[in-house]
Structures are given as structure tokens and as C-alpha cells.
Amino acid sequence: MDPHSVVDLTEDKEVETEFIYSAKWKPTDIPFERRMEKYSQSSSLPHHLEIHWFSIINSCVTVLLLTGFLATILMRVLKNDFMKYAQDEEAADDQEETGWKYIHGDVFRFPKSKSLFAAALGSGTQLFALTIFIFTLALVGVFYPYNRGALFTALVVIYALTSGIAGYTATSFYIQLEGSNWVRNLLLTGCLFCGPLFLMFCFLNTVAIVYSATAALPFGTILVIVLIWTLVTSPLLVLGGIAGKNSKAEFQAPVRTTKYPREIPPLPWYRSTIPQMAMAGFLPFSAIYIELYYIFASVWGHRIYTIYSILFIVFIILLIVTAFITVALTYFQLAAEDHEWWWRSFLCGGSTGLFIYGYCLYYYYARSDMSGFMQTSFFFGYMACICYGFFLMLGSVGFRASLLFVRHIYRSIKCE
């Protein structure tokens, strides 16, 4: 057969063709385990590394400047507050208090929907532990390039094994908030992240089956995942919940809470929840923006991502910025005599997840060549679950940081 012959495809009819290829085998001294290294190191080439390090240095400088700027303002304002409140104590007692000291009787009033709040905190803490474990495995070098199955398997197994953390955190915090129905709280914790993820998986797997795509998971794999959830995740969640219930830890509040809540004064529109979330999410998102492109190109494209050390540094920056911006916004909220900071700090911390989902829209239309119902549903479906996970994880980080801060400032002043 002539290898240079041309087949006419202009007419709209079936044409039978034969394709041939040749392979040349070369002996090599490199053992099988190390043969993928030269491909995995493609992302470590000088021009790639320069962009990565430049983006990290850029993020670090921006973040350090903004964080330092905010820290300086916050420390100075707090110092002035402490001095003013100390003088007020020495002066006449009947002088009316203002600012965050004025609401000391309400600041530790437990939030509305405490069961949902404790469940969100438990799920977020579990996802944080999962992320740390995955990073540890990646930095040690467990994940083999081109083998994405290993990462997904690790995610499923570690998520199952860390479910005890979610059960313990949620139930112990729920008991601290003087909740009574801890069993319902435990069920809510178990379903808060798994529920939406399971529904999304069922829908997307059905779409893949309809399209006869290889992305559809076989029945055997689904059965294994269900068995892991039944035999590992659920028992560990219950054990963690029982341990949390029996911990009998009391909520540490440095000031007494009054019997009746104080009325919140009318505040300008930019102090409401949505504008505050927009402000809180922008700075952490700007710190991870450049790295997101490489991650998306790896997950949804054909690039290989192996520089986990850089990714870990970016993750640490993300945590620091999220914690700091949430603390700053919590302070300004308390200074405006708005004592409902519990949910606000969680929502502000997690708002970066919404920004990442916004970036998904940009990536889909501007950077990717995806089209058709199946690709669109897979991309936006699974990214919605990932961003929801980010929302819960960073929300719990933001709340924990705010709780430490609020406890510290109220412990530092004398409240009657």
C-alpha cells in the first residue's frame, strides 16, 4: 500500500481507509518506575518556574503589604480603644459606652441556626484536614504523574478516614452552644457536603451514561464507594460525634451574656452581608489567581502539574489572608455595634469559594475550548462541588480566626 496516497473525503458518504504506523524500539537503562520523570518535569522547566515564582513573589508582596497595612491600622485602633476604655473606667462610671465595648453583653450570644452552624464548621474542619493530608502525600511524592486515579482514590479514602474529625468538631461545638438534639446535628454534618456531592455525581454520571462516555463510572466502582461510605465514613462520623458529646467542653466566653439582645443600630448598605463578602473574598482570590490557571489547565486540560511545593506556599498565603481579612471585617462590624458576627465571619471567610466559581465562568468562555452539554455540565457541576468545599473550609478558618480575636479583645478590657 502506498503510504503517500490521498483519500477523497469531499462527498458525504462512508469511506473505508487503512491507517498504518511504524514503531522503533530503543534499549534504555532507565528503570520502569522512573520513565515518566522527564515528562513530569516539563512543568519545572525554567520558563514555567519563572512564571510560577514571579506570581508567588507578586502575591506575597501584595499580601504582605496589604496585611501589614491592615495590621498596623488595626493594632493602632485597638491600642487607642484599650487606652480610651481604661480612661473611661477611671472616669465617671455613668458615662455611656460606645463602640465594641458597648456590646460586650451580646457579642457571645449564640448564633441563629446553631445546628447548621456547627455542622458547617465540622465539615469545613474535615475538608481542611483532608487538604493538609493530600498536600503531605503530594510533597512526599506519592502521586505518580499521568495517574490521576491515585489522587481521586486518595481523596475518597482520606475523606472517609477524616469523617471522625467532622463528627467530633460539629458535635462538641454544638454541645458548647447548648444544643440538645446532637443526633440530628450529626446527620446534618454527614449530609452537608456529601449530600450535594452525591446528587451532583448521580446527575453527571447519568449524563455520561446517556452520551456513552468513558467518564461514566462503572457499577463496581460506585458500589465500592458506597461500601466505603457505609462501612468507614458513617461509623467514624458517629464515633467522632459520641466523642464530641462526651468531651463536655464548655464555651469559653470572657464576658457574661445579657438576657435580652441589644438592638443593632441602622448601618449603611456597605456594612451589610453581601458587600462585606465581596470585600472579604477579593483579597484572598487575588493571591491565588495566577496559580488557578495552572491548576485548571491540569485538571481540565492536558498539562501536568507537579510543583506541589509552590501550590502549598500559595495555600498557606490563602489561609493567612483569609484569616486576616475576616478578623479585620469582624472588628469593624463590632465597632459599628453589630454583634451578629458569627455567621458573618463564616460567610466572609468562605466567600473566596464564590470568587473561584466566578473565575470558572471566565475560564470556560475565555480560556477553554469546551462545548456541548456534557462538557459544560461536568465542568460547572464538579467545580460547584469543589468551590462549595472551599467555601466550607475557608469559612471555618475565617470563623476560628475571628473567634480567637474576639475572645482576645474582650479578655483585655474590664467589662461590668
Side-chain angles (χ1 to χ4, degrees):
M1 184 177 283
D2 182 12
H4 302 292
S5 62
V6 180
V7 179
D8 186 15
L9 299 172
T10 51
E11 291 182 27
D12 189 13
K13 62 178 184 181
E14 286 189 9
V15 180
E16 282 192 14
T17 59
E18 280 188 24
F19 290 94
I20 57 169
Y21 68 92
S22 61
K24 194 173 182 181
W25 301 94
K26 281 185 177 180
T28 178
D29 298 328
I30 302 167
F32 178 76
E33 294 79 24
R34 299 186 59 190
R35 284 182 195 169
M36 299 301 285
E37 280 184 7
K38 67 174 183 180
Y39 300 107
S40 70
Q41 285 164 1
S42 63
S43 54
S44 305
L45 290 172
H47 65 279
H48 279 297
L49 273 177
E50 269 178 32
I51 295 166
H52 274 286
W53 281 114
F54 179 74
S55 71
I56 282 195
I57 293 163
N58 185 36
S59 297
C60 281
V61 169
T62 310
V63 166
L64 284 171
L65 283 172
L66 286 166
T67 310
F69 180 63
L70 276 170
T72 310
I73 292 173
L74 205 57
M75 295 301 282
R76 187 166 288 184
V77 169
L78 273 173
K79 192 178 176 183
N80 291 340
D81 285 351
F82 289 143
M83 285 170 67
K84 189 180 84 172
Y85 293 146
Q87 286 168 2
D88 287 352
E89 282 165 22
E90 292 167 13
D93 290 335
D94 59 354
Q95 188 177 354
E96 192 178 354
E97 295 173 341
T98 55
W100 53 267
K101 188 184 177 184
Y102 180 61
I103 54 166
H104 65 82
D106 296 277
V107 77
F108 291 105
R109 191 177 302 284
F110 298 146
K112 295 166 186 171
S113 310
K114 60 175 81 167
S115 181
L116 179 62
F117 188 84
L121 194 64
S123 298
T125 308
Q126 180 191 2
L127 291 167
F128 179 71
L130 167 71
T131 310
I132 295 296
F133 278 122
I134 289 291
F135 267 121
T136 306
L137 290 176
L139 292 168
V140 168
V142 170
F143 300 126
Y144 187 63
Y146 285 98
N147 185 4
R148 293 185 179 184
L151 179 61
F152 293 133
T153 306
L155 281 168
V156 171
V157 172
I158 296 172
Y159 183 83
L161 294 174
T162 52
S163 56
I165 295 171
Y168 179 82
T169 308
T171 309
S172 63
F173 198 75
Y174 181 64
I175 297 295
Q176 284 180 43
L177 298 182
E178 295 169 8
S180 52
N181 197 343
W182 68 275
V183 177
R184 191 184 69 179
N185 174 251
L186 202 58
L187 285 169
L188 185 61
T189 308
C191 298
L192 196 66
F193 183 70
C194 273
L197 185 65
F198 177 73
L199 292 172
M200 186 60 73
F201 167 75
C202 289
F203 168 69
L204 295 175
N205 213 52
T206 307
V207 170
I209 290 166
V210 169
Y211 277 84
S212 302
T214 52
L217 280 186
F219 180 73
T221 309
I222 296 169
L223 195 65
V224 168
I225 292 170
V226 170
L227 281 171
I228 288 172
W229 194 84
T230 313
L231 301 175
V232 181
T233 309
S234 303
L236 284 175
L237 186 75
V238 172
L239 285 171
I242 293 166
K245 178 184 171 288
N246 295 333
S247 65
K248 291 187 170 58
E250 289 187 5
F251 186 77
Q252 301 296 318
V255 288
R256 280 202 311 271
T257 301
T258 54
K259 195 173 183 183
Y260 301 105
R262 194 185 293 275
E263 192 178 344
I264 298 168
L267 298 169
W269 66 269
Y270 57 83
R271 285 196 182 275
S272 58
T273 307
I274 303 294
Q276 294 283 296
M277 284 174 71
M279 277 190 263
F282 178 73
L283 189 57
F285 174 75
S286 64
I288 62 167
Y289 164 71
I290 298 172
E291 207 63 23
L292 272 182
Y293 169 72
Y294 289 99
I295 296 163
F296 273 58
S298 171
V299 175
W300 298 104
H302 300 290
R303 290 195 180 195
I304 303 300
Y305 194 98
T306 54
I307 318 175
Y308 297 114
S309 52
I310 290 181
L311 192 61
F312 186 65
I313 295 167
V314 172
F315 179 67
I316 297 296
I317 292 170
L318 174 66
L319 294 180
I320 293 167
V321 181
T322 301
F324 206 89
I325 197 78
T326 313
V327 164
L329 288 170
T330 301
Y331 169 76
F332 294 129
Q333 184 185 352
L334 295 176
E337 296 173 17
D338 180 357
H339 55 78
E340 293 181 350
W341 63 274
W342 297 69
W343 273 110
R344 179 76 66 83
S345 63
F346 193 94
L347 293 171
C348 285
S351 59
T352 310
L354 302 176
F355 273 83
I356 296 171
Y357 201 65
Y359 178 79
C360 293
L361 290 164
Y362 163 74
Y363 182 84
Y364 180 83
Y365 290 109
R367 294 286 181 93
S368 77
D369 295 323
M370 288 188 240
S371 59
F373 179 72
M374 186 181 153
Q375 279 190 325
T376 307
S377 59
F378 260 69
F379 179 73
F380 286 110
Y382 280 128
M383 283 314 300
C385 293
I386 291 166
C387 293
Y388 175 53
F390 259 90
F391 177 82
L392 291 173
M393 179 179 75
L394 294 175
S396 61
V397 169
F399 169 72
R400 290 287 187 193
S402 296
L403 182 62
L404 284 170
F405 170 75
V406 173
R407 275 182 178 151
H408 173 72
I409 62 170
Y410 281 95
R411 200 177 282 127
S412 304
I413 58 165
K414 188 181 172 186
C415 294
E416 295 301 327

